[in-house]
Amino acid sequence: MRPTATKLAILTLAILCALPLCPSGAPAQDPEAQPDLLTSFRKRGMRGIHEILFAVRRPGSDDHWYANFGHYAGDENEHPFTPHGGGSLRILDLDSGRARIIFEDKHGSVRDPILHSDGETILFSYLKEGTEHYNLYEIKTDGSGLRQITSGDYDDIEPCILPGGDILFCSTRCDRFVQCWLTQVATIHRCGPNGENIRPLSANIEQDNTPWLLPDGRVIYTRWEYVDRNQISYHHLWTMNPDGTRQMVLFGNQFPGMLFIGAKPIPNSPLIAATISPGHGIREHYGRVAIINPRLGPDDFSAAEYISSEDTHSDPWPFSATEFMAASYNTLVLLRADGIEEEIYRLPESEGEYWINEPRPIIAREAPPELVDLVPPEGDDTGVLILSDIYAGRQMAEVPRGTVKELLVLETLPEPIHYSGGMDQISFSGTFTLERIWGTVPVSPEGAAAIRLPAGRSFFFIALDHEGRSVKRMHSFTSVMPGEVTSCIGCHERRTEAPGTGYHHNVFTAAAEPRWPEPLAGIPDVYDFPRDIQPLFDKYCVECHNADRSDGGLDLTGDWMPLYCRSYFEISCRQMFGDNRNRALSDFPPYAIGSQASTLYQMLLDHHQGVTMTDEELRLVRFWLETGAPYAGTYAANGTGLIGWYYMNIIKHNDEEWPETVAMAEAIERRCDGCHTPDDPRVCLPHMLSDDKKNAEDKRNDYYNLSRPEKSKILRMPLAEEAGGFGRCVERREDGTEAPVFASSDDPDYQVILAGIQRGRDYILHESNRFTMRPFVPSPAYVREMKRYGVLPPDHDPKTPVDPYELDRKYWAISGGRQPGGPAATMPTAE
């Protein structure tokens, strides 16, 4: 895509206003007038530059853009990247065209070099031979003076050097896993020049990437989030002060389906260069190089203009608004804004498995201004968020003033380990995260509020009306640093808006008395469906909605299915929760999502079939829906007591050698496949461990009952009514008449299928266990990570039962860089 006339005008203005990168540089020449493209680039964008620094390493095997460090969930010795494939730092001499190695480890890995402002010292991330983690190191450009900066069993990557000498970097010290894959998370941390005083700046429960300094001293970085949003759609550009305060979206957070990463300011212009990677992002941050004009605001996609036509570049370095350098697999290339590309260096053929990464020119430069640190070195562990006017924001114009009475304050909680690309046991196609209720704060008639919050935590808010109905959800998260007082205008206000005179009184009034969230009496802070909601179904619903009398085709018993319980699976499949079902949306009209949009809740309010819940019971259901309608209330539920769960998006056969289930599959094929074919997903009948049929996960949960195997649909549908079945599956006889497949439960194939289902039940009862069972033993991988985080002692026996809810709470109290005690780790409680 070539720049539009408007975009060319912007680029031309930026070029005309630009000053040379080096004071001795000659005036820019028209590149079209130069016969040699490289020479023209040297005279324009690269004047005064004689050497290029870059890293060389083997690319990772995992296709996810963020999976380039750490270990997989199931095996701490299995890595998503190539940890010991060899790596080096090299410097290309532009005059000779030759590259020299200044540092190499043939059995380690090297990444993310960045130069100090003196142009003589390199800070980089290094995984040393014989170790398993990246740490930060320094070295001189001549290869001398290697010095280790950080240490420990964490991965410290993507460093950024601050003007005063401190270092920003992304680190797994946050102790969490991605909530839709099997890899660890790195978030932004800060330390001193010698690795001292390491502390977290980001409260993200997902990934932060590629922090870089802007000319005004702020930090631009990639933030991945999906609070009530699709997990693969939102990873865009944000900014923060170097002390972690004033975190704010810069560009793209309303545009799903692309990754913005590797952003750097274009010299002497207001523009940003970045890689835009398609979809969920390509491995090693590959995509198309683009120019972004943040002055058009975060929501105007015309502010982004591609300058390369294919997804074959990574980590662009802007020399000016028209000339760029980038890595392209085993080559180093120069790009021009009109799309012309020139190769300037290629690795030797003998290094065919290696890629060039993170190219940087070796130049001395003036450091950006050092912003004043607003976070006190010690003291207050809380901050204040001031809301000016909740009615000033996206899709709030039609909401009458005075409608919103309270803000529900929720914390989105990190996950200690995850096993697949799905939600595991937290939901079925809904929320990925557990959400903790902190309470409510009042909103003034003018729409203002001031909230005191614990520092270093991920919060989001729901606007509630006088009936407690959810008017608007945040679909993002915010946080405060210790001692920080920050503000927003309204509910999803556009970041190009500035407060008018009418906001000042609201802010003053709200800020006069910042409120701690008021805890909700009688409401669990973290919901668990079997514990908190299923008893209400048992009390009011199962008389009509059970395995024998499924009025409306709905069974609301708590019977075990292969992955969930029957009731949760059925109401989730019918999309009765009012959530966004993991859609790529982030801005809904008022009352379009949450309890008010839930068909389940509306049926209860309407006294469906005479059911009349108490106000307290309705309130319990309502707040469960507001927290994403989770299934398991503990992350320890993942990977235990399940039949046919998913690991790395591949079905996990708990035991492929079970003779009972092998025989069951043969019986199903023998008696059922004549009608129920794989080509018709409506009637496809996989056995519990099958992964070769359409919609296998849905059908497994629908047809198999592990609490009462004889109640399984796969047995009752073909069983004659007089024998206790439904008689809906029939087979044609030779005389043309029809009869139920199974005339009685004595049929040998009926007994074979029953034995296969009972084998699955026995597995849960005696070999594995579910989070609802006591005693409960979590998966060995969960125990391993809890030991690594310091939540469990090193000598904890993995076979020892634990309280999964209590263990998760201990983890949340210290996760996120091991926050100190006090309000940051202690939730208020209702009296």
Side-chain angles (χ1 to χ4, degrees), residues 82-113:
T82 309
H84 303 116
S88 61
L89 292 178
R90 306 186 189 186
I91 293 179
L92 171 66
D93 184 288
L94 290 173
D95 295 319
S96 68
R98 296 180 178 178
R100 67 183 187 274
I101 297 175
I102 65 167
F103 178 78
E104 184 175 31
D105 187 330
K106 294 184 177 181
H107 300 286
S109 188
V110 173
R111 57 177 292 171
D112 311 320

Side-chain angles (χ1 to χ4, degrees), residues 546-555 566 570 574 671-672 675-676 682-683 685 702-703 711-732 738-743:
N546 56 63
D548 297 313
R549 178 189 169 184
S550 54
D551 288 8
L554 196 62
D555 180 353
R566 166 62 69 182
E570 294 211 2
R574 294 175 185 236
R671 302 298 293 273
C672 306
C675 298
H676 302 283
R682 294 171 302 170
V683 294
L685 294 176
D702 194 23
Y703 285 101
K711 298 291 185 181
S712 298
K713 288 184 180 180
I714 201 166
L715 289 175
R716 303 189 79 188
M717 289 291 190
L719 182 64
E721 289 188 60
E722 55 270 23
F726 296 149
R728 296 179 187 176
C729 293
V730 296
E731 54 187 1
R732 187 176 296 275
E738 293 180 343
V741 174
F742 298 139

